[in-house]
Each structure stands twice: as C-alpha cells, then as structure tokens.
Amino acid sequence: MPGRISVIGTMIRSGSGDGGDAGSDPTRTITVVLDEGRQGAAVRGVDSAPVQVRFTGRTNKDVLVVPVGALLALSEGGYAVQLRNGKLIKVTTGLFAKGLVEISGSVTAGTRVVTTS
C-alpha cells in the first residue's frame, strides 16, 4: 500500500522481545501514513503491525573515499581529514556506506590520511 513515513523513532530495540526471536534484527518504531483511498479501509482499526520496508538508495561511481574514522569535525562546521604531517584539509562529504565516506575537496587519490585504528 502506498504511504509515507511521518515519524521515525529514535529508540532501537534488540531483536528479542515483542515476540521476536533472540538474535533477530534490531527494530525501530516507524509511523507510516497510508495514502487515502480504498487501501486505507483495509487497515482501519489496526493500531500496529510488523512490516518490511524497502529503501531506495543510489550509487556514485569513480569517487574518492576514506574510512569514516578519518573524518574530523571542524569547530566552524563541516569536516576535514588530517594528513600524516598534521595538516588538516577541509572536505565535503557525500554518501556513507560500509564504513567508508565519499569526500571531495583538495585531496587527491593516493593521499595518505590519518584514521582510527
């Protein structure tokens, strides 16, 4: 049924509880407002129900990435990466995925940056 997410809860529960099996995926409460029409009548009176949500993402190719641990928050806002000599270079972040973050700025491929271990 078509709808839109209106609220995303901030508390994540472990997979155990609410009838779930221990070790199952963590859950988060999300409020979905269904589009009006005949579909709405099918769920009238239902307070809550388990659902599966499909997220649509995007892929950027041929980008420069660093480990997320290489990002340093700047006091004036934004982020930088630190070179081995201690110099900070301000970067703009893009997509985050699998522990990596896309960056752009005055950093070129092959530049060694400091990161967490």
Side-chain angles (χ1 to χ4, degrees):
M1 285 183 210
R4 64 178 173 76
I5 295 174
S6 65
V7 177
I8 298 176
T10 57
M11 186 172 88
I12 299 175
R13 293 186 307 254
S14 67
S16 59
D18 289 358
D21 296 328
S24 63
D25 292 335
T27 60
R28 174 187 298 232
T29 300
I30 298 175
T31 302
V32 176
V33 176
L34 298 176
D35 292 346
E36 293 296 325
R38 293 190 330 199
Q39 295 100 345
V43 294
R44 191 160 294 137
V46 175
D47 292 330
S48 65
V51 297
Q52 291 183 339
V53 179
R54 179 178 47 192
F55 293 96
T56 304
R58 73 174 205 239
T59 302
N60 291 348
K61 296 183 180 193
D62 299 322
V63 297
L64 186 60
V65 297
V66 296
V68 172
L71 290 179
L72 297 171
L74 298 173
S75 60
E76 65 270 17
Y79 295 95
V81 292
Q82 182 179 12
L83 302 182
R84 295 168 88 183
N85 65 7
K87 180 180 177 184
L88 297 180
I89 299 179
K90 187 170 180 155
V91 295
T92 302
T93 59
L95 294 178
F96 288 75
K98 298 181 180 178
L100 300 174
V101 57
E102 173 187 354
I103 62 168
S104 59
S106 300
V107 181
T108 58
T111 301
R112 293 184 179 264
V113 298
V114 176
T115 187
T116 57
S117 54

